[in-house]
Amino acid sequence: MSEKALADSPVALLECRRINKSYNGPMVLSEVDFSMKRGEIHALVGENGAGKSTLIKIVTGVTNRNSGEMLFEGRPIGIEHSKTAAQVLGIAVIYQELSLIHGMSVAQNLFLTREPRLPGLPFIDIGKMNSLAQELIDRYGFTLKATDVIDSLSIAQRQTVEILKALNSKASLVIMDEPTSSLTSTESAQLFGIIKRLKEDGIGVLYISHRMEEVYALSDRVTVLRDGRKVAVLEKAEIHPEEIIRLMIGRKLDDRDSVHTMRKSDREVVLEVKGLSSEGKFSGIDFQLHAGEILGIGGLVGSGRTELVRALYGIDPHDSGSVEYLGKPWEPGVAGSIRGGFGFIPEERRLQGIMGLISMTGNIGITNIDVIRKMGFVSDRKELDLARKAIGLLNIKPADPSVLVGNLSGGNQQKIVVGKWLIRDLKLLIVDEPTVGIDIGAKEEMYQTFARLAEAGVSIILVSSDLPELTRISHRILVLRKGRIIKEFSEGQVTEEDVLKASSGILPGGAK
Amino acid sequence: MSDTKTVGGGGTKLLLARFRLFFILILLMAVLSVVSPRFLSLENLSNVLWSVCIIGIMCSGFIYSPITGGIDLSVGSMVALAGIIANVLMNIVHMPMLPALLLTLVFGLLVGLVNGVVTTKFRVPPFIVTMAAKTYLFGIAMFVSNGDTITIMGPKDFLSIGVGKFLGLPIPIYIMVVMIIASHILLKHTVFGRRAIAVGANEVSAKLSGVNPDSTRILAYVISSGTATVAGIVMASLTQQAYAPNAAGYEFDVITAVVIGGTSLLGGSGSVAGALIGAVMVGFINNGLNLMNMPASFHPLVTGIVILIALILNQGFTLPAWMKPKKRAAGGQA
């Protein structure tokens, strides 16, 4: 049977009909229809909690649906689906966090548990394994060697290996969950090339992304989910970013200009940093932060941005220089910072921000322990009040404080991380990549929250790689390069290009 | 899966988990009462409670080491050494009872401090640190006692701790109940309890929330060692004996009790009430073997198998999270 004939066959690759799912109580998916053809690039979009991840989990057998029909290549899949069954059928998932084994070679990863054996012997035929792997790599024209060790590869290359792994297991449906979130634009372009190759081979690609331009450029069809229901399926000609967003959130967003006006604040100085240095991380950092100001910190990953804000919050020590907070000398230290009105939203939510196996209440309570404690004891009632307040403030779903944070969607997890600070008497909020991996609606909410805080006089330091985000919500931008402030945008017009150029060291009239 | 049992992990779930544990306990009691008619007699039950007391007291503090993501293997040796030190102070140095016991307690707390400091500041895994402590504490006990079984002759007040009764119940039961309740309150309703859970659940996140993971962990080991010391004092008084290998292996009974009770050895969750039920079960199992007049050489074999069955039953009614696809994904990508 040729790939072509299969691609033309009327039987859909995947057909889901009236899928229903609830974990505990509320419906996460209701009556969702979803179908995919062979050789189709299909984008699945929706806000946080719209049910995208759940749908994927049902298809891949990570969780079971409550009701509804599911057919793969025309064959029905029972309610009791499993991950193994999905793999056998040819459904492969490329997760955000990659599942490769470090310390092993590309070939070893590709052939894990299916290693070719020496004839008649229980030993692995390493030569054969490597050559088979290399064949596969070459067939897709990747610049990889079968003997490369995973640790030596970039994130994009590792993702390529993941895809190869799927191809090697004869997958006919490849699911990618936010594949470009950690890629540079060049790497993303390469990935798109690969996705198109998969399509040509008759493989269906189901693609979740929050980046509208990607969805627009790549997809043959788009399925939009909202609040656990299918809202629309758009054909190629109907795909317009504006329309998708409107369908996703049911409200129209303004066109975002790429040119933004910086405005210098003349309000009182909240934080003054003088010559702050930390060996090998950053040096000679000077800046002032005013009340109600959103100070953006741009620069490439590794420019010292994260290290600087960690030092300001007091997680890591600094070597020299000084910090003044509210007009007084300030020795940063986490507990003191929190008492003093600091808030900190770390860059890696799952690793640093949340305690997944603990309830929303517990997550919020631990940060606000100074508020809810009376002597050495903790007031459960006050803690619950705080949790309810945070849930209400940020419209966290589900609005049940006893839910384990690990069970929330990415956007709602991030709301917990932000929310636990908002209920405090906050003066300075440090945020590091606050909107990575959350959808556009939750991003908007996040930006509005920051704007509201700034209006209320809270100063915000925003570290971001997202240039539209950085230029749009910052009042002033510092660009770091190799641990130093290379450029400050404090007035006039700024575009994303200006910031990117400065980050890369291209400055008109030399460095400041 | 035990992880949901701590902080507001859903009332129904918690209730079910508790019921399950009770169910297994009742099942065990039913089996034992069939095996030996003497089992359900009041006399025997209060005997069990006596032996449960030592494990229960140890559990009340030990539990903080797994909750913070560590383990304290030195508690068994600490129990034996505490009895020996208390005896030396009272009967050889002739200190009055109260200061002698306090001094013993201070020693125990110091041992915990050393365990905690070495674990956190020198970054030696707690398994290794406390295994070393287990060995050197046993060494001290052997050295001080000359390896002899010492019969504790007095003082009278001291002996009455173990054998005395109040309102018809042995005093060690009151000690245990007070310590279990105190530990329950400490875990659920104090700043330290919250911090211990947070450190075990996600150290980085806890740190960013202003928790000092090191001091939280150190305190966990201090408490663990402290309660082991109390258990040692009670045991010495109860048995009127001090002997270096006395409580050898008790650390495993304690681990068994807390794990049966739903405390995760991976940190971030724990239940003191569950640990108490676990301790009662461990006590029942040991007691049952005695009642059946089974040769002592069979005890470990049977105990091990029964504990294994209890643990499987405890997990089996609802699948543990790692077997449950939904939960697994929820912790990861969402």
Short mmCIF file of all heavy atoms in Angstrom, two decimals, chain A residues 311-355:
data_model
loop_
_atom_site.label_atom_id
_atom_site.label_comp_id
_atom_site.label_asym_id
_atom_site.label_seq_id
_atom_site.Cartn_x
_atom_site.Cartn_y
_atom_site.Cartn_z
N ALA A 311 19.89 38.01 42.24
CA ALA A 311 20.71 38.68 43.25
C ALA A 311 19.92 39.78 43.94
O ALA A 311 20.02 39.96 45.17
CB ALA A 311 21.98 39.24 42.60
N LEU A 312 19.10 40.50 43.19
CA LEU A 312 18.31 41.58 43.79
C LEU A 312 17.31 41.03 44.81
O LEU A 312 17.08 41.62 45.85
CB LEU A 312 17.55 42.35 42.70
CG LEU A 312 18.39 43.26 41.82
CD1 LEU A 312 17.51 43.89 40.73
CD2 LEU A 312 19.06 44.36 42.64
N TYR A 313 16.73 39.90 44.49
CA TYR A 313 15.75 39.28 45.38
C TYR A 313 16.45 38.64 46.59
O TYR A 313 15.84 38.43 47.63
CB TYR A 313 14.97 38.23 44.60
CG TYR A 313 13.84 37.57 45.34
CD1 TYR A 313 12.84 38.31 45.96
CD2 TYR A 313 13.75 36.18 45.41
CE1 TYR A 313 11.79 37.69 46.62
CE2 TYR A 313 12.71 35.55 46.06
CZ TYR A 313 11.73 36.32 46.67
OH TYR A 313 10.70 35.69 47.33
N GLY A 314 17.75 38.35 46.42
CA GLY A 314 18.50 37.82 47.55
C GLY A 314 18.70 36.32 47.53
O GLY A 314 19.06 35.72 48.54
N ILE A 315 18.47 35.70 46.38
CA ILE A 315 18.66 34.25 46.31
C ILE A 315 20.16 33.94 46.24
O ILE A 315 20.67 33.07 46.92
CB ILE A 315 17.97 33.64 45.08
CG1 ILE A 315 16.52 34.08 45.03
CG2 ILE A 315 18.08 32.12 45.09
CD1 ILE A 315 15.89 33.91 43.67
N ASP A 316 20.85 34.67 45.34
CA ASP A 316 22.29 34.48 45.19
C ASP A 316 22.99 35.72 45.73
O ASP A 316 22.48 36.83 45.62
CB ASP A 316 22.64 34.30 43.71
CG ASP A 316 21.85 33.17 43.07
OD1 ASP A 316 21.61 32.17 43.78
OD2 ASP A 316 21.47 33.30 41.90
N PRO A 317 24.17 35.56 46.28
CA PRO A 317 24.90 36.73 46.80
C PRO A 317 25.55 37.51 45.66
O PRO A 317 25.71 37.00 44.55
CB PRO A 317 25.97 36.10 47.68
CG PRO A 317 26.20 34.75 47.10
CD PRO A 317 24.90 34.32 46.49
N HIS A 318 25.89 38.77 45.93
CA HIS A 318 26.67 39.52 44.95
C HIS A 318 28.04 39.83 45.54
O HIS A 318 28.23 39.75 46.75
CB HIS A 318 25.94 40.79 44.52
CG HIS A 318 25.61 41.72 45.65
ND1 HIS A 318 24.39 41.70 46.29
CD2 HIS A 318 26.34 42.66 46.26
CE1 HIS A 318 24.39 42.60 47.25
NE2 HIS A 318 25.56 43.20 47.26
N ASP A 319 28.99 40.18 44.67
CA ASP A 319 30.36 40.39 45.15
C ASP A 319 30.60 41.82 45.60
O ASP A 319 31.20 42.07 46.62
CB ASP A 319 31.36 40.07 44.02
CG ASP A 319 31.23 38.65 43.54
OD1 ASP A 319 30.82 37.80 44.36
OD2 ASP A 319 31.50 38.39 42.36
N SER A 320 30.15 42.77 44.77
CA SER A 320 30.38 44.17 45.14
C SER A 320 29.24 45.02 44.63
O SER A 320 28.36 44.55 43.91
CB SER A 320 31.71 44.64 44.53
OG SER A 320 31.66 44.50 43.13
N GLY A 321 29.28 46.30 45.03
CA GLY A 321 28.20 47.19 44.67
C GLY A 321 27.19 47.27 45.79
O GLY A 321 27.30 46.55 46.79
N SER A 322 26.22 48.15 45.62
CA SER A 322 25.26 48.31 46.71
C SER A 322 23.85 48.50 46.17
O SER A 322 23.64 48.85 45.02
CB SER A 322 25.64 49.53 47.55
OG SER A 322 25.52 50.70 46.77
N VAL A 323 22.91 48.23 47.05
CA VAL A 323 21.51 48.39 46.71
C VAL A 323 20.86 49.26 47.77
O VAL A 323 21.13 49.09 48.96
CB VAL A 323 20.78 47.02 46.69
CG1 VAL A 323 19.32 47.19 46.32
CG2 VAL A 323 21.46 46.07 45.71
N GLU A 324 20.07 50.24 47.33
CA GLU A 324 19.28 51.03 48.27
C GLU A 324 17.82 50.78 47.98
O GLU A 324 17.39 50.83 46.83
CB GLU A 324 19.59 52.52 48.10
CG GLU A 324 20.57 53.03 49.11
CD GLU A 324 20.77 54.54 49.02
OE1 GLU A 324 19.79 55.23 48.63
OE2 GLU A 324 21.87 54.99 49.31
N TYR A 325 17.07 50.49 49.03
CA TYR A 325 15.65 50.22 48.85
C TYR A 325 14.88 51.19 49.74
O TYR A 325 15.15 51.28 50.95
CB TYR A 325 15.37 48.77 49.23
CG TYR A 325 13.93 48.35 49.14
CD1 TYR A 325 13.21 48.47 47.95
CD2 TYR A 325 13.28 47.82 50.25
CE1 TYR A 325 11.88 48.08 47.87
CE2 TYR A 325 11.96 47.41 50.18
CZ TYR A 325 11.26 47.55 48.99
OH TYR A 325 9.95 47.15 48.92
N LEU A 326 13.98 51.94 49.14
CA LEU A 326 13.20 52.96 49.85
C LEU A 326 14.11 53.91 50.62
O LEU A 326 13.84 54.26 51.77
CB LEU A 326 12.20 52.30 50.81
CG LEU A 326 11.19 51.33 50.16
CD1 LEU A 326 10.35 50.63 51.23
CD2 LEU A 326 10.29 52.05 49.16
N GLY A 327 15.24 54.24 49.97
CA GLY A 327 16.14 55.23 50.56
C GLY A 327 17.08 54.72 51.62
O GLY A 327 17.85 55.47 52.20
N LYS A 328 17.01 53.41 51.88
CA LYS A 328 17.90 52.87 52.91
C LYS A 328 18.77 51.77 52.30
O LYS A 328 18.33 51.04 51.42
CB LYS A 328 17.08 52.27 54.07
CG LYS A 328 16.44 53.33 54.93
CD LYS A 328 15.71 52.69 56.10
CE LYS A 328 14.71 53.66 56.69
NZ LYS A 328 13.36 53.13 56.77
N PRO A 329 20.00 51.64 52.80
CA PRO A 329 20.85 50.55 52.31
C PRO A 329 20.14 49.21 52.52
O PRO A 329 19.47 49.02 53.54
CB PRO A 329 22.10 50.63 53.19
CG PRO A 329 22.08 51.99 53.78
CD PRO A 329 20.66 52.42 53.86
N TRP A 330 20.32 48.32 51.58
CA TRP A 330 19.53 47.08 51.59
C TRP A 330 20.44 45.91 51.29
O TRP A 330 21.12 45.89 50.29
CB TRP A 330 18.44 47.21 50.53
CG TRP A 330 17.53 46.04 50.39
CD1 TRP A 330 17.53 45.11 49.39
CD2 TRP A 330 16.46 45.68 51.25
NE1 TRP A 330 16.54 44.20 49.59
CE2 TRP A 330 15.87 44.51 50.72
CE3 TRP A 330 15.95 46.20 52.45
CZ2 TRP A 330 14.79 43.88 51.34
CZ3 TRP A 330 14.87 45.58 53.05
CH2 TRP A 330 14.31 44.43 52.50
N GLU A 331 20.45 44.95 52.21
CA GLU A 331 21.18 43.71 51.97
C GLU A 331 20.18 42.65 51.55
O GLU A 331 19.42 42.16 52.37
CB GLU A 331 21.93 43.27 53.23
CG GLU A 331 23.42 43.60 53.27
CD GLU A 331 24.16 43.43 51.95
OE1 GLU A 331 24.11 42.32 51.36
OE2 GLU A 331 24.81 44.39 51.50
N PRO A 332 20.17 42.30 50.28
CA PRO A 332 19.14 41.36 49.84
C PRO A 332 19.25 40.00 50.52
O PRO A 332 20.35 39.50 50.78
CB PRO A 332 19.41 41.21 48.33
CG PRO A 332 20.21 42.39 47.95
CD PRO A 332 21.04 42.73 49.16
N GLY A 333 18.11 39.45 50.84
CA GLY A 333 17.98 38.10 51.41
C GLY A 333 16.52 37.73 51.27
O GLY A 333 15.67 38.59 51.51
N VAL A 334 16.23 36.49 50.87
CA VAL A 334 14.86 36.18 50.44
C VAL A 334 13.81 36.53 51.49
O VAL A 334 12.87 37.29 51.20
CB VAL A 334 14.73 34.70 50.03
CG1 VAL A 334 13.29 34.37 49.70
CG2 VAL A 334 15.61 34.40 48.83
N ALA A 335 13.99 36.03 52.71
CA ALA A 335 12.96 36.25 53.71
C ALA A 335 12.78 37.74 53.97
O ALA A 335 11.65 38.24 54.07
CB ALA A 335 13.31 35.51 55.00
N GLY A 336 13.90 38.47 54.04
CA GLY A 336 13.84 39.92 54.26
C GLY A 336 13.18 40.62 53.10
O GLY A 336 12.39 41.56 53.28
N SER A 337 13.49 40.18 51.90
CA SER A 337 12.90 40.78 50.71
C SER A 337 11.38 40.65 50.74
O SER A 337 10.66 41.60 50.45
CB SER A 337 13.43 40.12 49.44
OG SER A 337 14.81 40.39 49.29
N ILE A 338 10.93 39.44 51.10
CA ILE A 338 9.48 39.22 51.14
C ILE A 338 8.84 40.13 52.19
O ILE A 338 7.86 40.81 51.91
CB ILE A 338 9.16 37.73 51.44
CG1 ILE A 338 9.65 36.85 50.29
CG2 ILE A 338 7.67 37.54 51.66
CD1 ILE A 338 9.51 35.36 50.54
N ARG A 339 9.46 40.18 53.37
CA ARG A 339 8.92 41.06 54.42
C ARG A 339 8.91 42.50 53.96
O ARG A 339 8.02 43.26 54.28
CB ARG A 339 9.77 40.93 55.69
CG ARG A 339 9.28 39.88 56.66
CD ARG A 339 9.88 40.10 58.04
NE ARG A 339 11.34 40.19 58.01
CZ ARG A 339 12.15 39.12 58.01
NH1 ARG A 339 11.64 37.92 58.04
NH2 ARG A 339 13.46 39.27 57.96
N GLY A 340 9.95 42.88 53.19
CA GLY A 340 10.08 44.26 52.75
C GLY A 340 9.16 44.64 51.60
O GLY A 340 9.20 45.78 51.15
N GLY A 341 8.38 43.71 51.10
CA GLY A 341 7.44 44.06 50.04
C GLY A 341 7.86 43.63 48.65
O GLY A 341 7.30 44.09 47.66
N PHE A 342 8.86 42.76 48.57
CA PHE A 342 9.26 42.22 47.28
C PHE A 342 8.35 41.04 46.91
O PHE A 342 7.83 40.35 47.77
CB PHE A 342 10.69 41.64 47.34
CG PHE A 342 11.80 42.63 47.23
CD1 PHE A 342 11.87 43.71 48.09
CD2 PHE A 342 12.81 42.47 46.29
CE1 PHE A 342 12.93 44.61 48.01
CE2 PHE A 342 13.87 43.36 46.20
CZ PHE A 342 13.94 44.44 47.07
N GLY A 343 8.24 40.81 45.62
CA GLY A 343 7.63 39.59 45.13
C GLY A 343 8.53 39.05 44.03
O GLY A 343 9.24 39.83 43.38
N PHE A 344 8.52 37.74 43.83
CA PHE A 344 9.43 37.17 42.83
C PHE A 344 8.74 36.05 42.09
O PHE A 344 8.26 35.09 42.69
CB PHE A 344 10.70 36.66 43.52
CG PHE A 344 11.76 36.19 42.57
CD1 PHE A 344 12.63 37.08 41.98
CD2 PHE A 344 11.89 34.84 42.27
CE1 PHE A 344 13.62 36.65 41.11
CE2 PHE A 344 12.88 34.39 41.40
CZ PHE A 344 13.74 35.30 40.82
N ILE A 345 8.70 36.18 40.78
CA ILE A 345 8.11 35.13 39.96
C ILE A 345 9.21 34.51 39.12
O ILE A 345 9.73 35.15 38.20
CB ILE A 345 6.98 35.71 39.10
CG1 ILE A 345 5.88 36.21 40.04
CG2 ILE A 345 6.43 34.67 38.13
CD1 ILE A 345 4.89 37.10 39.40
N PRO A 346 9.62 33.30 39.46
CA PRO A 346 10.80 32.70 38.82
C PRO A 346 10.52 32.24 37.40
O PRO A 346 9.37 32.10 37.00
CB PRO A 346 11.12 31.51 39.72
CG PRO A 346 9.81 31.13 40.30
CD PRO A 346 9.00 32.39 40.43
N GLU A 347 11.61 32.00 36.67
CA GLU A 347 11.44 31.71 35.25
C GLU A 347 10.88 30.33 34.96
O GLU A 347 10.15 30.15 34.01
CB GLU A 347 12.75 31.94 34.48
CG GLU A 347 13.87 31.02 34.91
CD GLU A 347 15.13 31.21 34.09
OE1 GLU A 347 15.02 31.69 32.95
OE2 GLU A 347 16.22 30.90 34.59
N GLU A 348 11.26 29.34 35.76
CA GLU A 348 10.76 28.01 35.46
C GLU A 348 9.69 27.62 36.46
O GLU A 348 9.97 27.15 37.55
CB GLU A 348 11.90 26.99 35.45
CG GLU A 348 12.73 27.13 34.22
CD GLU A 348 13.82 26.07 34.17
OE1 GLU A 348 13.49 24.95 33.75
OE2 GLU A 348 14.95 26.36 34.56
N ARG A 349 8.49 27.82 36.00
CA ARG A 349 7.33 27.64 36.87
C ARG A 349 7.32 26.28 37.56
O ARG A 349 7.16 26.17 38.76
CB ARG A 349 6.09 27.81 35.99
CG ARG A 349 4.79 27.43 36.58
CD ARG A 349 3.68 27.91 35.69
NE ARG A 349 3.66 27.22 34.40
CZ ARG A 349 3.77 27.82 33.23
NH1 ARG A 349 3.93 29.12 33.16
NH2 ARG A 349 3.71 27.13 32.12
N ARG A 350 7.49 25.23 36.76
CA ARG A 350 7.30 23.89 37.33
C ARG A 350 8.41 23.52 38.30
O ARG A 350 8.20 22.86 39.29
CB ARG A 350 7.18 22.85 36.21
CG ARG A 350 6.33 21.69 36.57
CD ARG A 350 6.02 20.82 35.37
NE ARG A 350 5.32 21.53 34.33
CZ ARG A 350 5.77 21.65 33.07
NH1 ARG A 350 6.89 21.11 32.71
NH2 ARG A 350 5.08 22.31 32.18
N LEU A 351 9.63 23.95 37.96
CA LEU A 351 10.76 23.59 38.80
C LEU A 351 10.90 24.51 40.00
O LEU A 351 11.36 24.10 41.05
CB LEU A 351 12.05 23.63 37.98
CG LEU A 351 12.12 22.63 36.83
CD1 LEU A 351 13.41 22.80 36.06
CD2 LEU A 351 12.03 21.22 37.38
N GLN A 352 10.54 25.79 39.81
CA GLN A 352 10.84 26.77 40.86
C GLN A 352 9.60 27.41 41.46
O GLN A 352 9.64 27.92 42.57
CB GLN A 352 11.72 27.89 40.28
CG GLN A 352 12.96 27.36 39.61
CD GLN A 352 13.83 28.48 39.06
OE1 GLN A 352 13.43 29.64 39.01
NE2 GLN A 352 15.03 28.13 38.65
N GLY A 353 8.51 27.42 40.69
CA GLY A 353 7.37 28.22 41.11
C GLY A 353 6.35 27.48 41.95
O GLY A 353 5.83 28.02 42.92
N ILE A 354 6.07 26.24 41.59
CA ILE A 354 4.95 25.58 42.23
C ILE A 354 5.37 24.32 42.98
O ILE A 354 6.42 23.75 42.72
CB ILE A 354 3.87 25.17 41.21
CG1 ILE A 354 4.46 24.19 40.17
CG2 ILE A 354 3.29 26.39 40.53
CD1 ILE A 354 3.42 23.38 39.45
N MET A 355 4.51 23.94 43.91
CA MET A 355 4.64 22.64 44.55
C MET A 355 3.46 21.82 44.03
O MET A 355 2.33 21.99 44.50
CB MET A 355 4.60 22.78 46.06
CG MET A 355 5.77 23.61 46.58
SD MET A 355 5.79 23.78 48.37
CE MET A 355 4.46 24.94 48.59
#
